[in-house]
Amino acid sequence: MGLPPGHVTHTPHLTRTAQLRILGNGVVPHQARCALHHLIKDMHAVDGAHAPPTHADM
């Protein structure tokens, strides 16, 4: 999911339900990165002034 192992599951005093709620309400880092990449790419396509960033740039 893009989070370090135990990021939520090794947090003391959280029930399984609370762990799932936290993960369910959060944005998975890989999905957020992909979404931002596509938004920036679209902005550059509309603007036309600069080439969109490549995968290596992010």
Side-chain angles (χ1 to χ4, degrees):
M1 282 180 45
L3 297 170
H7 183 75
V8 173
T9 56
H10 290 127
T11 304
H13 311 297
L14 279 183
T15 64
R16 173 96 171 129
T17 302
Q19 292 172 4
L20 292 173
R21 184 175 296 122
I22 289 167
L23 290 172
N25 291 336
V27 174
V28 177
H30 290 292
Q31 291 173 328
R33 182 189 174 283
C34 183
L36 287 172
H37 174 76
H38 287 286
L39 286 170
I40 291 168
K41 183 179 170 184
D42 289 347
M43 286 173 37
H44 285 288
V46 171
D47 180 29
H50 301 92
T54 64
H55 183 70
D57 292 335
M58 299 188 86

